[in-house]
């Protein structure tokens, strides 16, 4: 695209308006964050281009001596650099599975890989990565069935769709092989590395090696200034390297040239677009709580997840479960409750309140009826409860009472809907195994089968999240609807009644004859989920134990079980085929070839690991989800991901899992107690590294909190600060010291604190009346 081409002028003068098609509004572009020029080194870098943008002249440099060399932009006003991080997408990990046989891993009831990775305490992230091959290295075109073999996608907030990117860097409109024939097709690009420019920006960077002496460096990103309603315009750069030297560079914009009207863009065009791209995306996540971790990739995954959500959602707001393919991008999925709850949860936890509000309003305007029912084919009972709980969290974090008042009728009727279902459960005979427990679909897909009544059952999660939803909503309901404040007492009474029945029934249904003890997905079952699924497959039938993974994840997530029962459920899941490399599995009959991870609702299981102080298992979940539920380098999160190198199917709730896990590791709130947990799942190696671990502006129901710790040889230094007037009754500060060390003394604001906890690594203090605290710990 020539630099003289002005898209906005074209659309303004276009005859499109005459035929009733409105052009999108011009896109405002923020400037990227700049550093003083002397803080961005260009020494040894190649000068690539000079251009002028908004009256400022910029010079672009790149370190072309190495594959991950940064691209630097320098002006008289300041400078910035976009670094590169690459991960191998081919078979750099021989599928040895830590010395275990894949057949044994898949057939075992125990999670053999998890057991091995947890032998020495905190799991080693590199060993976790090497526990299975990377996603996408071993897929075949035939294995994708109806899907196109895309491996990533790009887009913007303002567009209504996305653009798929294929292994060789092509899109549906542009092919780099036009200039570089060696890049034709996907079979010839198996040996490649991929990453994201600037650490997390949604610009795809590829290295494709075609021989020992030649490789291609590709960059692809969306035009953030494009106002098209649906179509995503794309920028492309391909550089051929021979013997480590750049010998040919080509640029492209969206389509092949069609001279004289559509010509090849210049280098100046490309780098000006990249400048705008960086500013645009930095601006989109500027409200996110800042986080600093020794493992920088984990921090980048948080920001990238929010960028991917904005790309996935048309206009950044309207819900979509997936992208590109009709199945998952189709409108029949749009009202899926998990899209709402995963987004609301993640955005609230990271202080992205504007996005949380936009998502909430869109859903309640378009997908919630006045009677509390939703505009979606398969409502899930537990997700109604989670929605109510998150609405309470929204008010606690944002103070935005006006928005919830606007939807007070719909919110109340959602709670009443659950009460009506509870009333039906109380009409069952007291001898019924499901007496007092809520029947209903646990999984949305139940409605698609010939007889969905098979899954209209009293699954544990239906009741557990109903309890949580009623209880959390009752705390804020008098503020939302003062004239109906009396409803809150009724919901609390129901929550207590339902919780008592749930706990009683769960205890009665634990099978202590199995080792470890086992709990089925609903009362009265005689088979384990593996037995039921195997029998159903053999008989070519369906089973009420389908989607058992959702039951366990949501039962644990709701936090309504006593500690001992929560531990029994965790052990039952992990010990009876329910996890894969530490992540909740997509339950299936035992077989010799696959043991898939569940990427999108499994975070509820992880949250209970944290709550139950099973920190090593929590860290394994975090690292395993990162490496085995995401494609390497470019982090496309799979709804379900195998462990033998297949290509996963993306869904946005899976993408928003890592932000939750990282946030909770640093700052986590008790569900019902007035307690704030800090540093609960900080890895020991992070403290040992001597690098800072910090989060700034983490929202809590007591206001924003800043928290940081840093190992300094034989000591640990840290700070805690509360921004508002409210305080929790207690702060539980965890200091997970490096392996082989112990805490000898901890001072909070200069005063000695008592060290408590099972591992003697926690201090408890009351922050009443004090805004800031210093932490000084001495190790032995």
């Amino acid at each position: 695209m020539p630099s003289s081409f002005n898209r906005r002028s074209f659309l303004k003068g276009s005859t499109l308006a005459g035929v009733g098609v409105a052009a999108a509004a011009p896109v405002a572009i923020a400037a990227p964050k700049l550093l003083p020029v002397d803080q961005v080194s260009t020494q040894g870098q190649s000068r690539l281009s000079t251009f002028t943008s908004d009256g400022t002249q910029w010079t672009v440099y790149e370190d072309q001596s190495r594959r991950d060399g940064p691209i630097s932009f320098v002006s008289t006003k300041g400078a910035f650099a976009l670094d590169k991080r690459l991960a191998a997408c081919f078979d750099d990990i021989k599928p040895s599975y830590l010395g275990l046989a894949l057949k044994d891993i898949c057939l075992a009831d125990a999670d053999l890989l998890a057991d091995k990775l947890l032998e020495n305490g905190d799991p080693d992230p590199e060993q976790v990565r090497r526990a299975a091959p990377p996603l996408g290295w071993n897929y075949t075109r035939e294995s994708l069935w109806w899907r196109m073999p895309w491996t990533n996608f790009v887009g913007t907030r303002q567009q209504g769709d996305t653009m798929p990117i294929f292994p060789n860097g092509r899109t549906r409109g542009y092919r780099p092989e036009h200039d570089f024939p060696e890049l034709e097709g996907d079979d010839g690009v198996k040996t490649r590395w991929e990453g994201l420019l600037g650490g997390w920006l949604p610009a795809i960077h590829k290295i494709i090696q075609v021989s020992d002496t030649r490789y291609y460096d590709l960059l692809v990103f969306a035009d953030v200034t494009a106002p098209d309603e649906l179509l995503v315009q794309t920028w492309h750069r391909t550089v051929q390297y021979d013997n480590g030297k750049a010998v040919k560079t080509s640029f492209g914009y969206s389509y092949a040239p069609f001279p004289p009207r559509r010509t090849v863009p210049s280098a100046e065009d490309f780098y000006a677009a990249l400048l705008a791209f960086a500013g645009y995306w930095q601006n989109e996540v500027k409200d996110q709580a800042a986080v600093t971790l020794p493992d920088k990739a984990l921090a980048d995954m948080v920001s990238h997840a929010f960028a991917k959500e904005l790309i996935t959602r048309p206009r950044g707001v309207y819900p979509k479960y997936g992208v590109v393919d009709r199945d998952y991008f189709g409108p029949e999925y749009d009202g899926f409750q998990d899209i709402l709850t995963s987004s609301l949860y993640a955005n609230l936890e990271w202080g992205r309140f504007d996005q949380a509000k936009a998502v909430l309003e869109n859903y309640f305007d378009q997908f919630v009826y006045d009677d509390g029912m939703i505009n979606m084919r398969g409502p899930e009972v537990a997700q109604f409860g989670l929605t109510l709980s998150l609405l309470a969290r929204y008010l606690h974090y944002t103070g935005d009472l006006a928005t919830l008042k606007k939807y007070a009728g719909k919110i109340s009727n959602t709670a009443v809907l659950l009460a009506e279902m509870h009333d039906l459960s109380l009409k069952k005979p007291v001898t019924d195994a499901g007496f007092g427990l809520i029947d209903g679909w646990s999984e949305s897909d139940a409605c698609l089968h010939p007889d969905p009544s098979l899954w209209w059952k009293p699954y544990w999660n239906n009741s557990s999240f109903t309890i949580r939803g009623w209880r959390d909503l009752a705390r804020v309901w008098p503020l939302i609807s003062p004239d109906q404040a009396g409803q809150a007492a009724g919901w609390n009474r129901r929550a207590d009644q339902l919780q008592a029945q749930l706990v009683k029934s769960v205890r009665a249904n634990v099978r202590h004859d199995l080792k470890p003890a086992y709990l089925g997905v609903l009362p009265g079952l005689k088979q384990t989920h593996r037995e039921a699924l195997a029998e159903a497959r053999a008989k070519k039938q369906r089973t009420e134990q389908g989607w058992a993974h959702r039951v366990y994840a949501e039962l644990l997530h709701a936090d309504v079980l006593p500690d001992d029962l929560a531990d029994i459920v965790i052990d039952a899941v992990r010990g009876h085929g329910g996890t894969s490399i530490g992540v909740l599995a997509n339950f299936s009959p035992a077989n010799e070839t696959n043991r898939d991870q569940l990427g999108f609702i499994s975070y509820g299981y992880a949250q209970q690991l944290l709550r139950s102080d099973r920190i090593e298992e929590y860290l394994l979940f975090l690292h395993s989800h990162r490496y085995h539920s995401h494609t390497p380098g470019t982090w496309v999160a799979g709804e379900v991901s195998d462990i033998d190198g297949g290509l996963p199917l993306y869904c946005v709730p899976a993408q928003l899992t890592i932000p939750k896990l990282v946030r909770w590791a640093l700052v986590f709130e008790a569900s019902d107690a007035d307690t704030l947990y800090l540093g609960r799942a900080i890895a020991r190696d992070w403290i040992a590294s001597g690098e800072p671990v910090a989060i700034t502006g983490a929202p809590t129901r007591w206001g924003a909190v800043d928290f940081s710790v840093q190992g300094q040889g034989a000591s640990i230094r840290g700070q805690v600060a509360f921004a508002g007037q409210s305080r929790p009754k207690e702060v539980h500060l965890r200091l997970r010291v490096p392996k082989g060390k112990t805490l000898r003394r901890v001072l909070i604001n200069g005063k000695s604190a008592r060290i408590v906890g099972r591992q003697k690594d926690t201090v408890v203090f009351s922050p009443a009346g004090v805004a800031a605290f210093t932490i000084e710990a001495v190790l032995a």
Side-chain angles (χ1 to χ4, degrees):
M1 184 183 73
S3 56
S4 61
F5 184 87
N6 189 311
R7 297 183 56 82
R8 296 190 183 96
S9 297
F10 168 76
L11 285 168
K12 184 177 180 181
S14 172
T15 57
L16 289 174
V19 294
V21 179
V27 181
I29 302 299
K33 299 175 183 177
L34 301 181
L35 296 171
V37 173
D38 60 2
Q39 292 186 24
V40 177
S41 174
T42 60
Q43 185 175 2
Q45 297 184 14
S46 302
R47 180 170 174 167
L48 302 181
S49 176
T50 299
F51 65 90
T52 299
S53 175
D54 292 330
T56 300
Q57 188 178 71
W58 294 88
T59 303
V60 184
Y61 302 85
E62 183 173 16
D63 183 350
Q64 295 186 323
S65 67
R66 64 184 210 266
R67 297 181 178 189
D68 61 353
I71 299 176
S72 303
F73 289 73
V74 179
S75 76
T76 56
K77 293 183 177 180
F80 71 97
L82 299 175
D83 60 357
K84 300 171 187 170
R85 182 192 300 110
L86 292 163
C89 299
F90 63 101
D91 184 11
D92 79 318
I93 299 173
K94 299 299 180 184
S96 61
Y97 298 101
L98 305 181
L100 301 171
L102 180 60
K103 173 183 175 180
D104 294 338
I105 293 166
C106 296
L107 288 175
D109 282 339
D111 188 344
L112 300 182
L113 288 173
D115 291 346
K116 198 171 183 68
L117 290 163
L118 291 167
E119 286 177 343
N120 298 309
D122 281 11
D124 175 6
E126 178 61 16
Q127 192 179 25
V128 175
R129 185 179 80 87
R130 292 189 166 276
L135 289 178
W137 76 268
N138 193 36
Y139 76 92
T140 63
R141 182 66 187 86
E142 294 73 24
S143 69
L144 299 181
W145 296 85
W146 45 266
R147 295 172 54 201
M148 293 186 295
W150 59 273
T151 54
N152 213 318
F153 59 95
V154 296
T156 67
R157 170 193 277 275
Q158 67 266 19
Q159 262 79 54
D161 208 333
T162 58
M163 180 61 72
I165 309 297
F166 295 82
N168 72 341
R170 72 185 186 277
T171 68
R172 298 290 282 175
Y174 179 88
R175 286 179 173 267
E177 61 262 45
H178 288 172
D179 291 323
F180 302 94
E182 282 185 295
L183 295 177
E184 181 179 359
D186 296 329
D187 291 338
V189 299
K190 293 290 188 183
T191 304
R192 71 183 192 280
W193 292 257
E194 294 191 0
L196 300 166
L197 198 59
W200 63 268
L201 300 171
I204 298 168
H205 177 219
K206 292 174 179 276
I207 296 291
I208 298 174
Q209 185 168 316
V210 297
S211 73
D212 290 340
T213 60
R214 175 172 294 176
Y215 69 85
Y216 295 90
D217 182 304
L218 294 85
L219 285 175
V220 186
F221 61 92
D223 180 0
V224 297
T225 68
D228 305 74
E229 289 291 328
L230 292 173
L231 183 65
V232 174
Q233 307 285 352
T234 52
W235 285 98
H236 303 259
R237 188 195 77 171
T238 307
V239 184
Q240 178 183 326
Y241 283 81
D242 287 347
N243 298 307
K245 303 293 184 182
V247 298
K248 179 182 177 182
T249 301
S250 73
F251 298 97
Y253 183 81
S254 297
Y255 313 116
F258 191 89
R261 294 293 184 266
R262 181 184 295 147
T263 58
V264 176
S266 67
E268 290 77 17
D269 294 330
F270 178 86
Y271 293 112
L274 186 55
L275 174 77
F277 172 87
Y280 174 98
W281 281 109
Q282 289 174 2
N283 185 63
E284 286 290 352
V285 301
K286 65 182 179 182
D287 57 351
Q288 176 201 308
V291 63
T292 301
L293 299 174
D295 189 342
K296 188 175 183 295
L298 273 177
D300 284 342
M301 289 183 86
V302 174
S303 298
H304 183 70
F306 292 126
K308 258 203 170 76
E309 184 198 17
L310 293 175
I311 293 171
T312 301
R313 288 177 173 269
R315 313 293 179 263
V317 173
Y318 187 85
K320 287 291 176 183
Y321 189 54
V323 296
V324 182
D325 303 302
R326 176 64 174 79
D327 203 8
Y328 284 27
F329 188 71
E332 65 273 16
Y333 292 92
D334 296 349
F336 189 40
Q337 291 150 291
D338 297 78
I339 306 175
L340 167 72
T341 54
S342 65
S343 174
L344 203 54
Y345 216 149
N347 282 287
L348 285 174
E349 294 289 61
W350 285 93
R352 289 176 49 78
F353 297 156
D354 289 345
Q355 178 67 8
K357 179 179 180 178
V359 165
L360 189 160
E361 288 184 320
N362 174 272
Y363 193 83
F364 270 78
D365 284 340
Q366 299 197 33
F367 297 96
V368 181
Y369 297 124
D370 289 342
D371 65 357
M373 189 54 173
I374 61 169
N375 182 13
M376 202 273 169
R377 65 189 186 195
E380 298 164 336
V381 175
Q383 288 289 313
F384 283 115
L386 177 54
T387 299
L388 296 179
S389 175
L390 290 173
L391 293 176
R393 186 176 297 254
Y394 176 85
L395 183 57
H396 285 307
Y397 282 12
T398 70
D400 178 16
L401 191 58
T403 296
L404 298 189
K405 281 181 173 291
K406 181 168 60 173
Y407 301 115
K410 293 182 177 182
I411 296 169
S412 173
N413 283 333
T414 299
V416 170
L417 168 64
L418 295 174
E420 291 169 354
M421 299 180 79
H422 184 221
D423 286 339
L424 291 174
S425 76
L426 296 171
K427 293 180 180 179
K428 299 176 186 177
V430 293
T431 56
D432 190 305
F435 170 78
L437 301 176
I438 295 177
D439 287 321
W441 293 328
S442 167
E443 165 61 43
S444 178
D445 286 348
C447 71
L448 299 178
H449 292 268
D451 182 12
S453 68
L454 176 63
W455 295 282
W456 196 267
K457 298 286 172 63
Y459 296 105
W460 305 122
N461 55 327
N462 293 347
S463 295
S464 66
F465 252 134
T466 295
I467 296 163
R468 174 55 54 206
W470 279 336
R471 189 163 286 154
D472 290 350
L473 179 63
R475 293 190 180 108
V476 299
W477 187 246
L479 297 174
I480 298 171
S481 185
D483 58 334
Q484 295 180 312
Q487 287 182 299
W491 294 331
N492 274 326
R493 284 193 299 271
R494 283 187 180 274
D496 292 344
Q497 180 184 16
L498 184 54
Q499 184 176 21
Q501 184 61 35
L502 175 68
V503 171
K504 176 183 177 181
S505 187
V506 167
R507 286 200 186 280
N509 280 275
V510 173
R511 288 188 56 183
H512 293 283
D513 58 309
L514 299 178
K515 300 298 179 186
Y518 180 79
L519 177 73
V521 295
L522 51 84
L525 293 178
K526 303 301 181 185
Q527 293 178 306
T528 67
H529 64 268
R530 272 195 154 187
E531 292 168 343
L533 291 167
E535 180 180 88
R537 173 173 288 183
K539 294 181 178 180
K540 297 182 179 180
Q541 296 174 342
R542 298 173 177 86
T543 171
E544 63 187 354
Q545 295 206 51
W547 309 292
H549 41 254
R550 181 181 284 276
V551 176
Y552 293 120
E554 293 177 340
L555 169 63
L556 291 170
H557 186 183
D559 191 21
V560 296
L561 294 180
D563 292 344
D564 66 312
L565 284 183
D567 274 323
I568 285 174
V569 175
I570 292 171
D571 291 339
V573 171
R574 180 174 162 185
H576 291 277
T579 63
S580 177
I581 323 183
V583 174
L584 192 68
N586 186 54
F587 288 13
S588 64
N591 63 87
E592 298 183 358
T593 60
N594 65 283
R595 188 176 182 130
D596 298 344
Q597 288 190 343
L598 187 70
F600 80 110
I601 56 171
S602 51
Y603 64 86
Y605 173 84
Q607 189 181 93
Q608 186 57 52
L609 291 175
L610 186 70
R611 203 180 286 119
S612 295
D613 204 22
R614 300 172 71 143
I615 305 305
E616 291 85 0
E617 292 171 79
Y618 183 86
L619 288 170
L620 175 58
F621 190 110
L622 170 66
H623 297 314
S624 185
H625 197 284
R626 166 189 175 178
Y627 287 120
H628 303 295
S629 282
H630 288 75
T631 56
T634 49
W635 302 328
V636 178
E639 177 193 49
V640 174
S641 303
D642 61 37
I643 58 171
D644 62 353
L647 191 65
L649 185 59
Y650 163 81
C651 77
V652 72
Q655 195 77 53
L656 292 171
T657 294
I658 287 291
K660 303 182 189 78
L661 299 178
V662 172
R663 153 62 198 249
W664 297 336
L666 303 175
V667 179
F668 184 68
E669 301 170 51
S671 299
D672 298 307
D674 198 11
T675 304
L676 178 65
Y677 297 95
L678 298 176
R680 195 167 176 85
I682 290 177
R684 297 188 190 281
D685 284 350
W686 294 355
I687 300 296
S689 74
E691 297 182 49
V693 179
I695 186 169
T696 303
T700 73
R701 62 180 182 266
W702 305 281
V705 175
D706 298 345
F707 167 60
S708 64
V709 290
Q710 185 172 8
Q712 297 180 357
S715 66
I716 299 173
R717 298 287 186 271
Q719 294 182 326
V720 179
F722 294 89
Q725 298 300 313
S726 182
R727 301 283 187 278
K729 182 179 180 180
E730 289 185 342
V731 171
H732 290 224
L733 170 65
R734 191 76 170 272
L735 298 170
R736 301 189 75 246
V737 299
K739 191 174 182 179
K741 301 289 185 179
T742 59
L743 281 179
R744 190 174 73 188
R745 184 174 72 254
V746 178
L747 301 178
I748 304 293
N749 280 353
K751 296 181 179 179
S752 183
R754 187 165 63 95
I755 302 172
V756 299
R758 180 168 52 88
Q759 297 188 16
K760 299 298 181 183
D761 59 1
T762 301
V763 294
V764 179
F765 63 93
S766 172
V770 180
F773 298 85
T774 59
I775 304 158
E776 301 173 82
V778 179
L779 310 185

